[in-house]
Amino acid sequence: MTRLWTLQTDAFWAALRQRGRAQATWRGVDRAWRPAYAWMAGQMVLRGICRRPVPPLWAWHSCGAIGHGPGRLDVDLLWPAGRSGVKLELRVPDTLLLLSDYAVWNEILEQTF
């Protein structure tokens, strides 16, 4: 099990509390980023993380230091202004993880514009 942190909307948190599960949707992915996300979803299928290509649920393994999630400043920089949300700490089986490098991934997204 690996400890991760994710930033999610209030609606995501409500669905998780109500149903005991929640999932990212393609509707929530910016159209410009869909090709990159589709590639990542395909990698998840190839690795047996999921059975069909679904958008990843992003979470941090570390932020600044190994084993530490995003702090208040990180959240303020990453979360859209004027929207409310939650920071969740998760314990995820290693078999469900596809770790990536945040900086490198953002370089890929910038190339899709």
Side-chain angles (χ1 to χ4, degrees):
M1 295 289 259
T2 298
R3 188 166 78 166
L4 303 173
W5 294 267
T6 185
L7 303 177
Q8 297 298 329
T9 63
D10 291 333
F12 181 94
W13 175 232
L16 183 59
R17 282 191 325 243
Q18 182 180 21
R19 291 183 230 130
R21 63 187 304 256
Q23 181 175 317
T25 64
W26 288 109
R27 186 177 59 244
V29 178
D30 185 295
R31 286 194 185 280
W33 296 350
R34 285 186 186 176
Y37 275 59
W39 177 85
M40 180 72 76
Q43 293 300 308
M44 292 164 55
V45 171
L46 286 174
R47 289 167 169 77
I49 294 170
C50 53
R51 287 176 278 184
R52 59 184 174 82
V54 295
L57 177 61
W58 293 103
W60 282 267
H61 172 268
S62 54
C63 194
I66 299 297
H68 294 281
R72 179 79 254 155
L73 181 59
D74 300 312
V75 172
D76 289 344
L77 290 171
L78 296 167
W79 197 251
R83 287 184 55 198
S84 62
V86 295
K87 178 174 83 170
L88 302 173
E89 182 176 320
L90 312 169
R91 302 237 185 240
V92 179
D94 293 345
T95 57
L96 298 178
L97 298 179
L98 178 60
L99 297 178
S100 63
D101 182 291
Y102 183 80
V104 173
W105 178 253
N106 279 289
E107 286 178 25
I108 292 167
L109 291 180
E110 288 174 15
Q111 293 173 14
T112 63
F113 287 113

